[in-house]
Amino acid sequence: PWCRLPTTLLGMVDASVGIKVAVNYHRKNGVGHFFSPLHTFIDASFLATLEPADVRSGCGEIMKAALIHDASLFDLMETHGARLIDANFPPDDAVAETIVKR
């Protein structure tokens, strides 16, 4: 068992789900293994240290998930995304917390 403590927005919304070790064989990631962490600890205070490009990268992953799986998440990002990007998803912001935890 293992735990993760991602320190970027991208890590919090994507990579913190699990680790994938795979190779392309007949298709992308055709052969491999996926192992989920026992726990993922999210400490949003790390987000204050990010460069704007890193925050936007994480937002891209949030929008991808929202477009595929969650229309209400898309609506939250559409309404609050620019403000949250400018503020690096502040840890004391309820909307930022909701988005990161989804």
Side-chain angles (χ1 to χ4, degrees):
W2 60 288
C3 300
R4 290 195 54 123
L5 177 62
T7 58
T8 66
L9 184 58
L10 179 61
M12 290 176 189
V13 300
D14 181 44
S16 68
V17 174
I19 189 164
K20 175 176 58 175
V21 181
V23 295
N24 296 339
Y25 182 74
H26 295 293
R27 61 185 167 85
K28 184 177 178 183
N29 300 320
V31 176
H33 180 72
F34 182 84
F35 188 72
S36 297
L38 183 61
H39 297 285
T40 298
F41 299 99
I42 303 295
D43 183 351
S45 66
F46 285 109
L47 300 178
T49 68
L50 299 179
E51 295 293 323
D54 295 321
V55 176
R56 287 191 299 274
S57 177
C59 286
E61 196 63 33
I62 292 169
M63 293 305 291
K64 180 178 85 173
L67 287 168
I68 295 170
H69 301 291
D70 192 341
S72 64
L73 178 57
F74 183 89
D75 293 340
L76 279 174
M77 284 298 293
E78 186 174 38
T79 302
H80 301 280
R83 174 183 64 79
L84 294 174
I85 291 169
D86 290 342
N88 278 35
F89 276 72
D92 58 345
D93 188 295
V95 175
E97 182 179 347
T98 297
I99 289 170
V100 170
K101 287 186 176 180
R102 283 176 119 167

